[in-house]
Amino acid sequence: MTITVRPGSTVMFTGDSITDCQRLESEDGLGFGYPLRVAGEWGLRYPDRPVTWLNTGIGGNKVMDLEARWQTDVLDARPDVVSILVGVNDMGWHTLDPMGYVIPVEEFEAGYDRLLAPLAEAGTKLILIEPFLLPIHGVVEAGAGVVRIGEEERKEWRTDLDPKIQVVRELARKYGAQLLAADGMFAELAATTGPEYWAADGVHPTPAGHAALAAAWLRLVV
């Protein structure tokens, strides 16, 4: 069942760099990725149903980082709909940051659940976007160019990410949230074009990747 976005609603996107997408450098604060595409397409389709669109994504954020700022950046805004994409930084953090460590799936689940509980209690509609990792080829630089990520690291990341994707699916069921199955979507898309077409580094979407996310998001609302 889709979410009905009523005129005058406030819709918030939050998460990590995929959502952030240079929002502080953009005129409307939505960044240059899928939140902007969603807002633009919604405005085109429904000029008689104005919506306030907000983006509080911050690059590099993990679930624990969202939790630390959840009250001021999300709950205090009293949004009607909250869309969350987080988890890719909870995967492989220990390979990118000398102070990082492996985040157990149990810790990820407990923290994510704490994000959702107060929203559900307030009657906020929820859209949970799976974190995703595309199977690109070759070596890419990450962590501001300090770390080189190759095939073996990506295998380790995938092993770490899969149970966290399952957590997002289970939490969507628990809270009656809409689930955007992004990992599976990108795997299917990449089967015909190659993964780099959708995310050159396997994590951050290209313009086509952001367009795919926006189109999938819009299928969850009316």
Side-chain angles (χ1 to χ4, degrees):
M1 189 173 180
T2 54
I3 291 174
T4 298
V5 180
R6 304 187 184 283
S9 294
T10 296
V11 178
M12 177 178 287
F13 299 92
T14 195
D16 52 38
S17 60
I18 301 168
T19 301
D20 178 344
C21 213
Q22 298 176 289
R23 64 182 175 86
L24 297 181
E25 300 170 30
S26 62
E27 185 175 350
D28 50 22
L30 290 177
F32 301 99
Y34 75 93
L36 178 65
R37 292 174 180 269
V38 166
E41 183 63 28
W42 182 272
L44 177 63
R45 294 183 188 180
Y46 308 112
D48 58 336
R49 294 167 63 189
V51 170
T52 297
W53 303 95
L54 302 175
N55 183 347
T56 60
I58 294 181
N61 267 200
K62 301 171 285 297
V63 163
M64 67 177 76
D65 301 309
L66 287 183
E67 193 172 359
R69 61 187 182 87
W70 204 241
Q71 184 67 49
T72 54
D73 282 7
V74 178
L75 300 181
D76 286 353
R78 303 192 178 203
D80 301 288
V81 180
V82 173
S83 173
I84 306 170
L85 171 52
V86 68
V88 75
N89 294 302
D90 295 83
M91 163 205 79
W93 180 37
H94 59 291
T95 62
L96 298 177
D97 188 334
M99 301 298 291
Y101 59 90
V102 175
I103 297 175
V105 67
E106 296 81 7
E107 181 179 325
F108 176 80
E109 181 175 15
Y112 208 136
D113 192 279
R114 288 191 294 269
L115 299 179
L116 300 178
L119 292 170
E121 185 177 352
T124 308
K125 303 298 184 184
L126 299 170
I127 297 175
L128 307 188
I129 305 176
E130 290 177 354
F132 50 86
L133 179 65
L134 279 74
I136 63 165
H137 306 287
V139 176
V140 297
E141 293 186 349
V146 175
V147 181
R148 290 168 61 82
I149 304 298
E151 303 287 341
E152 290 305 312
E153 288 82 7
R154 281 193 289 275
K155 287 180 183 177
E156 181 184 344
W157 283 8
R158 171 51 72 180
T159 300
D160 190 6
L161 186 64
D162 279 345
K164 290 168 181 168
I165 291 174
Q166 189 58 38
V167 162
V168 176
R169 294 171 181 169
E170 291 169 358
L171 288 173
R173 285 193 291 270
K174 175 179 177 178
Y175 286 101
Q178 290 291 324
L179 176 70
L180 198 168
D183 191 61
M185 176 189 76
F186 280 124
E188 185 175 343
L189 290 171
T192 55
T193 62
E196 290 83 359
Y197 184 82
W198 306 101
D201 64 358
V203 171
H204 297 93
T206 61
H210 278 288
L213 280 174
W217 197 98
L218 285 161
R219 288 193 288 271
L220 303 178
V221 300
V222 293

